[in-house]
């Protein structure tokens, strides 16, 4: 695997797992009032379009990164609504 | 411009501008305690790697989308530290 591919994987891994600590913090503190609702909806819509984009292109890394990030943000949104 | 390119632009636009409402909410409420610090640092590191990836590939859409998203998240981090 060449440098640029490893760089892409590392970038995708970090921008995906970044939402895990947000998920756990919201779950632990039972509060997400400072997390913007409009941000979550806009970000999730964008991630969904990236997912469709990846599916059409048959690009597995785009599908995986955006699919997992979408799932994490869905949980954050669900926790935000639950604890509002 | 074909459908897939328009889809990619729409996806990139949404996942970029998503952080504007978060920025304005944090600025308005002067509070970001519910926004995970570890999330911001991990996400920004990933965005920085995407930026390098885009620069090496000479891919302007990757450079623009990740550069602007990184800038917005830098402001959110700065506001979080300022209002802690």
């Amino acid at each position: 695997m060449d440098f640029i591919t490893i760089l892409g994987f590392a970038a995708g891994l970090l921008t995906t797992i970044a939402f895990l600590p947000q998920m756990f913090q919201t779950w632990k503190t039972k509060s997400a009032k400072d997390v913007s609702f409009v941000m979550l909806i806009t970000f999730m819509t964008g991630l969904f379009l990236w997912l469709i984009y990846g599916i059409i292109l048959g690009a597995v890394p785009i599908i995986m990164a955006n699919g997992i990030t979408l799932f994490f943000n869905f949980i954050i949104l669900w926790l935000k609504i639950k604890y509002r």
Side-chain angles (χ1 to χ4, degrees), chain A:
Chain A
M1 198 155 50
D2 57 351
F3 172 73
I4 189 79
T5 308
I6 294 168
L7 185 65
F9 270 115
L13 185 72
L14 286 175
T15 50
T16 298
I17 61 164
F19 297 94
L20 271 174
Q22 180 65 61
M23 219 172 76
F24 284 116
Q25 180 175 320
T26 305
W27 175 70
K28 233 177 75 182
T29 62
K30 300 193 191 310
S31 169
K33 68 169 175 45
D34 293 340
V35 178
S36 162
F37 182 77
V38 183
M39 183 270 275
L40 285 173
I41 296 298
T42 314
F43 193 54
M44 286 172 68
T45 309
L47 290 170
F48 181 73
L49 294 189
W50 276 128
L51 191 63
I52 304 296
Y53 180 87
I55 290 168
I56 293 173
L57 289 184
V60 177
I62 297 178
I63 295 169
M64 282 195 57
N66 290 285
I68 297 169
T69 310
L70 185 58
F71 174 73
F72 289 161
N73 276 273
F74 182 81
I75 303 286
I76 295 165
L77 177 67
W78 175 70
L79 289 171
K80 180 176 169 68
I81 291 167
K82 183 176 156 83
Y83 296 136
R84 74 171 167 220

